[in-house]
């Protein structure tokens, strides 16, 4: 399951260089080329899946386990004070590389990252209305 036009498949195949930090049978992890914080890494399944909508549950589970492994390593080896996991699914959600990946972003008490959005006060009845839509 590879896509010849996918840069992350090329990293899996060893055709494109990457600073790898972890690998198992189903996943590899490597440094993000434009890190948000020190140690920002990406975890990907070796199989090509476009994103969260399309990944099979097994590869998603393997990816989640590898992300936890990396988060613990960020804490223990880099001294991170916390970790954000981020997954972007579709361009509306900032996805730019269309091979599923989870960002493992070590956080430090004094790092410059700030929430990209402001929590909103919902209108009267809005939470119940949207919850009903989600329940289907
Ligand atoms: P997205 O925006 O899809 O959630 O994240 C894609 C990430 O891949 C970005 O953070 C970007 O810096 C990273 N990236 C894009 N091209 C490359 C590359 O060739 N090598 C590595 N290591 N990271 C890349
Ligand atoms: Zn791919």
């Amino acid at each position: 399951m590879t896509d010849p036009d996918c840069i992350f498949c090329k990293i899996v195949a060893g055709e494109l260089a990457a600073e790898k930090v972890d690998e198992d049978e189903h996943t590899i992890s490597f440094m993000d080329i434009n890190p948000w914080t020190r140690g920002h890494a990406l975890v990907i399944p070796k199989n090509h899946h476009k994103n969260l909508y399309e990944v099979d549950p097994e590869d998603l589970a393997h990816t989640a386990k590898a992300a936890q492994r990396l988060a613990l390593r960020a804490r223990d080896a880099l001294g991170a004070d916390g970790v954000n996991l981020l997954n972007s699914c579709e361009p509306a959600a900032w996805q730019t590389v269309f091979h599923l990946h989870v960002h493992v972003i070590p956080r430090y008490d004094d790092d410059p990252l700030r929430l990209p959005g402001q929590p909103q006060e919902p209108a009267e009845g809005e939470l119940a209305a949207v919850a009903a839509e989600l329940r289907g």
Side-chain angles (χ1 to χ4, degrees), residues 7-8 11 16-19 30-36 40 42 86-89 93-99 101 103:
I7 56 171
F8 286 178
I11 289 174
L16 188 66
E19 205 63 60
F30 51 89
M31 305 315 296
D32 192 295
I33 204 166
N34 293 127
W36 290 11
H40 179 173
L42 302 173
L86 173 70
N87 171 252
S88 303
C89 179
W94 307 328
Q95 186 175 12
T96 60
V97 176
F98 295 90
H99 178 133
H101 51 281
H103 297 254

Tab-separated table of all heavy atoms in Angstrom, residues 7-8 11 16-19 30-36 40 42 86-89 93-99 101 103, ligand 1:
chain	number	residue	atom	x	y	z
A	7	ILE	N	5.170	11.892	-0.512
A	7	ILE	CA	6.506	12.082	0.069
A	7	ILE	C	6.714	11.206	1.301
A	7	ILE	O	7.838	10.767	1.552
A	7	ILE	CB	6.808	13.568	0.405
A	7	ILE	CG1	5.765	14.168	1.331
A	7	ILE	CG2	6.971	14.386	-0.849
A	7	ILE	CD1	6.171	15.549	1.848
A	8	PHE	N	5.665	10.941	2.053
A	8	PHE	CA	5.865	10.101	3.236
A	8	PHE	C	6.060	8.632	2.833
A	8	PHE	O	6.818	7.907	3.496
A	8	PHE	CB	4.715	10.270	4.229
A	8	PHE	CG	4.742	11.588	4.982
A	8	PHE	CD1	3.747	11.909	5.890
A	8	PHE	CD2	5.759	12.515	4.795
A	8	PHE	CE1	3.768	13.116	6.589
A	8	PHE	CE2	5.792	13.731	5.483
A	8	PHE	CZ	4.781	14.025	6.379
A	11	ILE	N	9.625	8.403	2.169
A	11	ILE	CA	10.409	8.279	3.409
A	11	ILE	C	10.372	6.831	3.898
A	11	ILE	O	11.400	6.263	4.282
A	11	ILE	CB	9.901	9.282	4.467
A	11	ILE	CG1	10.300	10.712	4.054
A	11	ILE	CG2	10.448	8.944	5.847
A	11	ILE	CD1	9.737	11.821	4.939
A	16	LEU	N	13.573	9.115	0.282
A	16	LEU	CA	13.673	10.514	0.705
A	16	LEU	C	14.227	10.499	2.129
A	16	LEU	O	13.736	9.751	2.973
A	16	LEU	CB	12.284	11.165	0.660
A	16	LEU	CG	12.189	12.664	0.891
A	16	LEU	CD1	12.884	13.431	-0.243
A	16	LEU	CD2	10.719	13.081	0.969
A	17	ALA	N	15.221	11.315	2.363
A	17	ALA	CA	15.879	11.312	3.677
A	17	ALA	C	14.948	11.872	4.748
A	17	ALA	O	14.153	12.780	4.492
A	17	ALA	CB	17.154	12.142	3.619
A	18	ALA	N	15.076	11.302	5.928
A	18	ALA	CA	14.344	11.826	7.087
A	18	ALA	C	15.129	11.448	8.331
A	18	ALA	O	15.849	10.449	8.344
A	18	ALA	CB	12.937	11.246	7.150
A	19	GLU	N	14.961	12.249	9.368
A	19	GLU	CA	15.643	12.000	10.641
A	19	GLU	C	14.751	11.085	11.464
A	19	GLU	O	13.907	11.529	12.240
A	19	GLU	CB	15.884	13.347	11.326
A	19	GLU	CG	17.020	13.387	12.291
A	19	GLU	CD	18.371	13.124	11.660
A	19	GLU	OE1	18.777	13.884	10.757
A	19	GLU	OE2	19.035	12.148	12.115
A	30	PHE	N	9.586	10.251	12.543
A	30	PHE	CA	10.741	11.054	12.119
A	30	PHE	C	10.473	12.509	12.455
A	30	PHE	O	9.322	12.919	12.706
A	30	PHE	CB	11.000	10.870	10.613
A	30	PHE	CG	9.785	11.065	9.741
A	30	PHE	CD1	9.455	12.309	9.239
A	30	PHE	CD2	8.944	9.989	9.452
A	30	PHE	CE1	8.326	12.486	8.454
A	30	PHE	CE2	7.802	10.161	8.663
A	30	PHE	CZ	7.499	11.416	8.166
A	31	MET	N	11.549	13.292	12.455
A	31	MET	CA	11.419	14.701	12.832
A	31	MET	C	10.655	15.467	11.757
A	31	MET	O	10.905	15.297	10.556
A	31	MET	CB	12.794	15.351	13.014
A	31	MET	CG	13.718	14.661	14.002
A	31	MET	SD	12.924	14.184	15.538
A	31	MET	CE	12.490	15.789	16.197
A	32	ASP	N	9.738	16.333	12.212
A	32	ASP	CA	9.083	17.249	11.276
A	32	ASP	C	10.136	18.225	10.746
A	32	ASP	O	10.956	18.758	11.492
A	32	ASP	CB	7.956	18.013	11.977
A	32	ASP	CG	7.057	18.743	10.995
A	32	ASP	OD1	7.524	19.678	10.313
A	32	ASP	OD2	5.879	18.371	10.908
A	33	ILE	N	10.097	18.458	9.441
A	33	ILE	CA	11.128	19.286	8.804
A	33	ILE	C	11.037	20.761	9.241
A	33	ILE	O	12.040	21.478	9.205
A	33	ILE	CB	11.024	19.145	7.259
A	33	ILE	CG1	12.332	19.450	6.586
A	33	ILE	CG2	9.886	19.972	6.697
A	33	ILE	CD1	12.380	19.000	5.132
A	34	ASN	N	9.869	21.167	9.707
A	34	ASN	CA	9.664	22.541	10.206
A	34	ASN	C	9.030	22.488	11.598
A	34	ASN	O	7.828	22.727	11.761
A	34	ASN	CB	8.758	23.356	9.268
A	34	ASN	CG	9.398	23.622	7.926
A	34	ASN	OD1	8.816	23.345	6.875
A	34	ASN	ND2	10.613	24.148	7.920
A	35	PRO	N	9.835	22.167	12.602
A	35	PRO	CA	9.279	21.895	13.936
A	35	PRO	C	8.638	23.116	14.602
A	35	PRO	O	9.131	24.223	14.491
A	35	PRO	CB	10.509	21.430	14.728
A	35	PRO	CG	11.683	21.999	14.004
A	35	PRO	CD	11.307	22.037	12.560
A	36	TRP	N	7.524	22.851	15.301
A	36	TRP	CA	6.860	23.901	16.099
A	36	TRP	C	7.567	24.084	17.438
A	36	TRP	O	7.537	25.174	18.004
A	36	TRP	CB	5.403	23.524	16.362
A	36	TRP	CG	4.517	23.568	15.161
A	36	TRP	CD1	4.879	23.699	13.848
A	36	TRP	CD2	3.090	23.486	15.164
A	36	TRP	NE1	3.773	23.687	13.045
A	36	TRP	CE2	2.656	23.561	13.825
A	36	TRP	CE3	2.137	23.329	16.174
A	36	TRP	CZ2	1.300	23.500	13.464
A	36	TRP	CZ3	0.796	23.273	15.817
A	36	TRP	CH2	0.388	23.363	14.486
A	40	HIS	N	9.639	18.093	17.822
A	40	HIS	CA	8.386	17.862	17.067
A	40	HIS	C	8.601	16.758	16.023
A	40	HIS	O	9.418	16.890	15.119
A	40	HIS	CB	7.996	19.179	16.388
A	40	HIS	CG	6.755	19.127	15.551
A	40	HIS	ND1	6.217	20.267	15.006
A	40	HIS	CD2	5.938	18.118	15.160
A	40	HIS	CE1	5.133	19.964	14.314
A	40	HIS	NE2	4.944	18.649	14.389
A	42	LEU	N	6.765	13.333	13.643
A	42	LEU	CA	5.571	12.822	12.962
A	42	LEU	C	5.590	11.306	13.032
A	42	LEU	O	6.643	10.692	12.797
A	42	LEU	CB	5.568	13.250	11.490
A	42	LEU	CG	5.631	14.750	11.224
A	42	LEU	CD1	5.798	15.011	9.721
A	42	LEU	CD2	4.380	15.460	11.746
A	86	LEU	N	-1.473	16.007	17.469
A	86	LEU	CA	-2.307	16.724	16.498
A	86	LEU	C	-2.449	15.876	15.249
A	86	LEU	O	-1.461	15.327	14.744
A	86	LEU	CB	-1.647	18.059	16.133
A	86	LEU	CG	-2.300	18.861	15.005
A	86	LEU	CD1	-3.649	19.417	15.450
A	86	LEU	CD2	-1.388	19.992	14.548
A	87	ASN	N	-3.667	15.743	14.788
A	87	ASN	CA	-3.896	15.124	13.486
A	87	ASN	C	-4.785	16.051	12.677
A	87	ASN	O	-5.807	16.535	13.173
A	87	ASN	CB	-4.574	13.758	13.616
A	87	ASN	CG	-5.016	13.217	12.263
A	87	ASN	OD1	-6.204	13.186	11.962
A	87	ASN	ND2	-4.067	12.826	11.445
A	88	SER	N	-4.400	16.291	11.443
A	88	SER	CA	-5.163	17.164	10.561
A	88	SER	C	-5.767	16.308	9.460
A	88	SER	O	-5.046	15.584	8.770
A	88	SER	CB	-4.243	18.233	9.957
A	88	SER	OG	-3.623	18.963	11.001
A	89	CYS	N	-7.078	16.393	9.319
A	89	CYS	CA	-7.796	15.554	8.351
A	89	CYS	C	-8.516	16.461	7.370
A	89	CYS	O	-9.516	17.097	7.746
A	89	CYS	CB	-8.767	14.643	9.100
A	89	CYS	SG	-9.744	13.577	8.032
A	93	ALA	N	-8.872	21.312	7.817
A	93	ALA	CA	-8.288	21.084	9.142
A	93	ALA	C	-6.758	21.181	9.091
A	93	ALA	O	-6.079	20.657	9.976
A	93	ALA	CB	-8.719	19.728	9.676
A	94	TRP	N	-6.230	21.854	8.054
A	94	TRP	CA	-4.792	22.134	7.893
A	94	TRP	C	-3.988	20.967	7.345
A	94	TRP	O	-2.758	21.006	7.376
A	94	TRP	CB	-4.123	22.588	9.208
A	94	TRP	CG	-4.764	23.724	9.913
A	94	TRP	CD1	-5.435	24.768	9.364
A	94	TRP	CD2	-4.769	23.961	11.330
A	94	TRP	NE1	-5.863	25.629	10.335
A	94	TRP	CE2	-5.474	25.168	11.548
A	94	TRP	CE3	-4.243	23.277	12.427
A	94	TRP	CZ2	-5.670	25.691	12.825
A	94	TRP	CZ3	-4.435	23.812	13.694
A	94	TRP	CH2	-5.141	25.002	13.886
A	95	GLN	N	-4.637	19.896	6.851
A	95	GLN	CA	-3.825	18.801	6.300
A	95	GLN	C	-3.148	19.263	5.017
A	95	GLN	O	-3.796	19.805	4.113
A	95	GLN	CB	-4.683	17.563	6.002
A	95	GLN	CG	-3.825	16.365	5.571
A	95	GLN	CD	-4.613	15.072	5.376
A	95	GLN	OE1	-5.840	15.075	5.344
A	95	GLN	NE2	-3.893	13.969	5.238
A	96	THR	N	-1.833	19.070	4.950
A	96	THR	CA	-1.065	19.446	3.757
A	96	THR	C	-0.365	18.258	3.120
A	96	THR	O	-0.003	18.299	1.945
A	96	THR	CB	-0.007	20.519	4.081
A	96	THR	OG1	0.899	20.005	5.057
A	96	THR	CG2	-0.657	21.794	4.595
A	97	VAL	N	-0.113	17.200	3.897
A	97	VAL	CA	0.487	15.977	3.357
A	97	VAL	C	-0.553	14.869	3.521
A	97	VAL	O	-1.024	14.603	4.637
A	97	VAL	CB	1.795	15.606	4.084
A	97	VAL	CG1	2.333	14.279	3.570
A	97	VAL	CG2	2.839	16.709	3.912
A	98	PHE	N	-0.887	14.230	2.398
A	98	PHE	CA	-2.051	13.343	2.393
A	98	PHE	C	-1.650	11.881	2.551
A	98	PHE	O	-1.994	11.024	1.734
A	98	PHE	CB	-2.911	13.643	1.158
A	98	PHE	CG	-3.459	15.034	1.253
A	98	PHE	CD1	-2.751	16.113	0.732
A	98	PHE	CD2	-4.628	15.276	1.950
A	98	PHE	CE1	-3.228	17.407	0.870
A	98	PHE	CE2	-5.115	16.569	2.105
A	98	PHE	CZ	-4.411	17.635	1.559
A	99	HIS	N	-0.905	11.644	3.625
A	99	HIS	CA	-0.576	10.315	4.146
A	99	HIS	C	-0.756	10.487	5.652
A	99	HIS	O	-0.075	11.329	6.263
A	99	HIS	CB	0.872	9.946	3.777
A	99	HIS	CG	1.357	8.629	4.292
A	99	HIS	ND1	2.027	7.706	3.496
A	99	HIS	CD2	1.328	8.074	5.529
A	99	HIS	CE1	2.372	6.650	4.209
A	99	HIS	NE2	1.962	6.845	5.458
A	101	HIS	N	-0.789	11.104	9.355
A	101	HIS	CA	0.304	11.299	10.302
A	101	HIS	C	-0.222	11.943	11.566
A	101	HIS	O	-1.186	12.711	11.527
A	101	HIS	CB	1.437	12.143	9.706
A	101	HIS	CG	0.970	13.424	9.099
A	101	HIS	ND1	0.385	13.479	7.848
A	101	HIS	CD2	0.969	14.691	9.565
A	101	HIS	CE1	0.050	14.726	7.572
A	101	HIS	NE2	0.392	15.487	8.602
A	103	HIS	N	1.126	14.353	14.589
A	103	HIS	CA	2.197	15.201	15.111
A	103	HIS	C	2.338	14.920	16.606
A	103	HIS	O	1.342	14.937	17.342
A	103	HIS	CB	1.831	16.679	14.970
A	103	HIS	CG	1.656	17.154	13.568
A	103	HIS	ND1	2.585	17.938	12.931
A	103	HIS	CD2	0.644	16.982	12.679
A	103	HIS	CE1	2.147	18.238	11.712
A	103	HIS	NE2	0.976	17.663	11.532
B	1	LIG	P1	-0.012	18.551	8.061
B	1	LIG	O1	-0.082	20.027	7.720
B	1	LIG	O2	-0.427	17.717	6.878
B	1	LIG	O3	-0.731	18.191	9.322
B	1	LIG	O4	1.499	18.257	8.401
B	1	LIG	C1	2.479	17.977	7.443
B	1	LIG	C2	3.810	18.156	8.129
B	1	LIG	O5	4.796	17.522	7.348
B	1	LIG	C3	4.213	19.629	8.288
B	1	LIG	O6	4.381	19.919	9.671
B	1	LIG	C4	5.526	19.725	7.512
B	1	LIG	O7	6.489	20.524	8.155
B	1	LIG	C5	5.973	18.274	7.423
B	1	LIG	N1	6.720	17.963	6.208
B	1	LIG	C6	6.379	18.309	4.946
B	1	LIG	N2	7.282	17.811	4.069
B	1	LIG	C7	8.190	17.120	4.802
B	1	LIG	C8	9.364	16.380	4.458
B	1	LIG	O8	9.749	16.250	3.291
B	1	LIG	N3	10.051	15.809	5.476
B	1	LIG	C9	9.648	15.933	6.776
B	1	LIG	N4	10.402	15.338	7.699
B	1	LIG	N5	8.549	16.626	7.134
B	1	LIG	C10	7.821	17.213	6.166
